[in-house]
Amino acid sequence: MPLRRPFTSLFRPQRGPDQSVLTEHRGLVETIDRRKLLRGTLSLGALTMLTGCNISDRDAVQTVLRAVSGFNDGVQALLFDPNRLAPTYAASQVVKPPRFNAYYEIEDLKPVDIGGWNLELSGLIADKRPWSLERIYALPEQEEIIRHICVEGWDYIGQWSGPNLRDFLTRVGADLSARYVVFHGNDDYMESIDMPSALHPQTILATKYAGEPITDPFGFPLRLRTAVKLGFKNPKWIRAIEVTNSYSPGFWEKQGFNWFSGL
Ligand SMILES: Nc1nc2c(c(=O)[nH]1)N[C@H]1C(S)=C(S)[C@@H](COP(=O)(O)O)O[C@H]1N2
Ligand SMILES: [Mo]
């Protein structure tokens, strides 16, 4: 099934002259090339040229992200280093409001009715009692200013805060040796991430953007924000979290995107 819109129509450069997704991820790209994991379509020479010239060509960035995203999941999981932090940014770089995306147009948004909302927990979790938003707000908050990268070819820097996911999973007695953490959105969106990424220090259950509660289009009342995954692995309008050892493909995997889709 083709993507809803062509990448090129989404070309919106939002960066200064000395920043590029590639430069930021140069270490990763070089590691990948050293391990001979690139699929032959891109050489290190080509990548170095791209990293050296402050690319403004979003298609080129897209190509590299695709290459990174196209690896065998097992190999990527091995490359994953939980102590490696993704780049963070200054508050002055934060885009306000953030940029909306969903698998449908904004007109079709169905905001969460907070009156009937509780965060549900299922699967390999000892304490499955649901969480009210009030209780979630009472948890310690972590803030992070990180880049959101969408596979449709655009990105922005955002400032998210909320409880750290590792702390939350620990608190509810989740089995931290399980393979997957699955997020179910109020809009029937479902995506799963690997446990090491769920436990990464830059993975949070975000309740706020730029210090204010997240607004409807961006996932009110609760969304995932992780610095180690592409945009689509950050479900919005979370209504349930499930810890499991069984794999089920989410919306984007069914479009052919790589499940790991992360750093
Ligand atoms: N519930 C839900 N979460 C979702 C999506 C969606 O369609 N539904 N789209 C994903 C995609 S592809 C992207 S790029 C980001 C967009 O987040 P933003 O609107 O805050 O930029 O949300 C992700 N999470
Ligand atoms: Mo996306």
Side-chain angles (χ1 to χ4, degrees), residues 99-103 148 156 187 189 223 234 236-237 252:
R99 180 168 170 167
F100 171 80
N101 197 30
Y103 68 93
H148 174 116
Y156 68 90
D187 56 352
Y189 190 85
R223 70 169 303 167
N234 290 262
K236 307 197 279 188
W237 310 286
W252 288 91

Side-chain angles (χ1 to χ4, degrees), residues 2-262:
L3 290 168
R4 270 185 303 118
R5 291 165 287 186
F7 295 142
T8 43
S9 71
L10 291 157
F11 177 70
R12 300 274 185 283
Q14 278 177 341
R15 64 187 72 243
D18 58 353
Q19 300 164 316
S20 84
V21 173
L22 278 179
T23 304
E24 286 153 20
H25 297 106
R26 184 182 197 130
L28 172 72
V29 163
E30 284 173 356
T31 308
I32 288 161
D33 191 76
R34 257 201 311 282
R35 299 190 190 191
K36 301 267 176 285
L37 299 175
L38 281 178
R39 287 175 148 185
T41 44
L42 272 169
S43 66
L44 180 60
L47 289 170
T48 310
M49 263 182 60
L50 291 171
T51 51
C53 9
N54 292 323
I55 28 170
S56 56
D57 179 0
R58 310 302 296 156
D59 287 346
V61 176
Q62 179 65 26
T63 307
V64 172
L65 288 174
R66 284 280 197 158
V68 172
S69 188
F71 298 147
N72 167 285
D73 286 334
V75 174
Q76 286 193 49
L78 286 176
L79 283 174
F80 184 80
D81 174 357
N83 299 314
R84 217 187 102 209
L85 296 181
T88 57
Y89 303 87
S92 59
Q93 295 172 280
V94 172
V95 171
K96 295 177 206 166
R99 180 168 170 167
F100 171 80
N101 197 30
Y103 68 93
Y104 41 81
E105 300 300 330
I106 196 161
E107 295 74 38
D108 300 324
L109 202 84
K110 288 175 224 71
V112 164
D113 170 11
I114 199 61
W117 185 93
N118 270 314
L119 174 65
E120 288 158 33
L121 303 179
S122 67
L124 305 169
I125 294 178
D127 181 356
K128 296 193 183 68
R129 279 176 297 174
W131 282 67
S132 67
L133 189 55
E134 212 180 3
R135 277 180 75 215
I136 294 170
Y137 276 156
L139 293 170
E141 254 176 29
Q142 174 181 332
E143 182 184 277
E144 54 193 23
I145 302 181
I146 53 176
R147 191 184 291 282
H148 174 116
I149 304 170
C150 178
V151 291
E152 291 184 341
W154 50 270
D155 62 272
Y156 68 90
I157 291 167
Q159 179 179 14
W160 289 271
S161 45
N164 174 277
L165 183 59
R166 173 193 278 267
D167 291 350
F168 183 80
L169 291 175
T170 306
R171 189 181 289 262
V172 297
D175 177 356
L176 304 185
S177 67
R179 297 179 72 158
Y180 309 108
V181 181
V182 187
F183 301 88
H184 299 272
N186 198 53
D187 56 352
D188 293 329
Y189 190 85
M190 183 277 273
E191 275 294 343
S192 62
I193 62 171
D194 54 293
M195 186 62 80
S197 296
L199 302 179
H200 187 277
Q202 289 171 301
T203 301
I204 65 172
L205 288 171
T207 55
K208 292 182 183 154
Y209 187 85
E212 301 291 333
I214 288 173
T215 51
D216 285 331
F218 307 104
F220 176 81
L222 191 69
R223 70 169 303 167
L224 187 72
R225 261 322 267 128
T226 172
V228 296
K229 292 286 178 200
L230 293 177
F232 78 87
K233 304 298 277 184
N234 290 262
K236 307 197 279 188
W237 310 286
I238 297 173
R239 78 175 160 70
I241 299 179
E242 180 190 350
V243 173
T244 177
N245 284 313
S246 18
Y247 172 75
S248 12
F251 175 82
W252 288 91
E253 285 84 18
K254 288 180 189 157
Q255 317 288 309
F257 282 86
N258 171 274
W259 170 75
F260 191 80
S261 286

